[in-house]
Amino acid sequence: MKLSIAVGLGGIALAMPFPSHAQEGALIGVTRAVRIAESVVGGRAMEADLDRERDGRRVYEVDVVRAGGVREVRIAADTGEVIRTGRPGLADWIDAEEIREAARGPALAGLLQALERHSGGEVLDVGFDVERGQGRFEVELSTRAGVTEVLLDSRTGRRLAYMADD
């Protein structure tokens, strides 16, 4: 299904698709990949993005926090099959404060599902950061209005900010 918005230019209407992973083929989406990763590892996802394996296959890479630290889950983007789990390649980039904050609060999959349902959009990417002691998810969201970044409080899921993505 092709999603588009109409833009009027001096009486001319153009149909312009908004960015979507679905346009890249039948992909499962970030939200579903996060749900799978949280279920497999038994923790809380903190970051997720669409990546490409060396063989060209599209995969979702999801970092999940659990009691033993951070686990990376690689999921086939077209089927949802878990390809592998293990320590992230750069495990040291996550400091102890980020791990503590990322582990608190509701499951990320539920927050993303609610955000998509409320906005009518699609989550493209999720990052995690701690600023002034507050953990927050940085969600790249594609909607009919364009691509935006939504900041969510990691403990409550409350929206902190909503801005045009640059």
Side-chain angles (χ1 to χ4, degrees):
M1 173 164 129
K2 187 173 183 178
L3 303 172
S4 63
I5 57 175
V7 177
L9 297 174
I12 301 171
L14 302 173
M16 298 173 53
F18 66 88
S20 167
H21 284 175
Q23 292 174 352
E24 298 180 41
L27 304 183
I28 65 166
V30 171
T31 300
R32 185 166 167 213
V34 166
R35 176 169 278 110
I36 291 167
E38 287 179 334
S39 176
V40 167
V41 173
R44 183 183 193 210
M46 63 183 290
E47 297 195 344
D49 64 352
L50 185 60
D51 203 357
R52 195 175 291 278
E53 293 281 86
R54 288 187 179 139
D55 64 4
R57 182 169 43 166
R58 304 291 290 191
V59 297
Y60 289 103
E61 181 180 300
V62 183
D63 292 330
V64 180
V65 176
R66 65 177 192 166
V70 179
R71 304 296 290 177
E72 178 184 275
V73 183
R74 294 185 74 80
I75 299 167
D78 56 347
T79 65
E81 173 191 358
V82 175
I83 296 169
R84 69 177 169 274
T85 64
R87 287 182 53 101
L90 298 172
D92 295 334
W93 64 266
I94 305 171
D95 66 31
E97 181 184 23
E98 286 180 318
I99 292 172
R100 277 192 308 276
E101 283 299 315
R104 297 177 174 146
L108 179 57
L111 298 178
L112 298 181
Q113 185 176 13
L115 182 61
E116 286 181 335
R117 187 174 48 246
H118 177 74
S119 69
E122 177 186 1
V123 172
L124 301 177
D125 187 84
V126 180
F128 182 82
D129 194 18
V130 177
E131 190 170 303
R132 292 185 219 116
Q134 180 182 36
R136 64 184 192 179
F137 291 110
E138 300 167 347
V139 182
E140 186 175 359
L141 180 69
S142 179
T143 68
R144 292 184 185 269
V147 178
T148 59
E149 184 173 3
V150 180
L151 302 180
L152 301 175
D153 182 299
S154 66
R155 291 186 188 189
T156 66
R158 184 177 57 88
R159 186 179 73 190
L160 301 172
Y162 181 83
M163 63 204 96
D165 195 23
D166 48 347

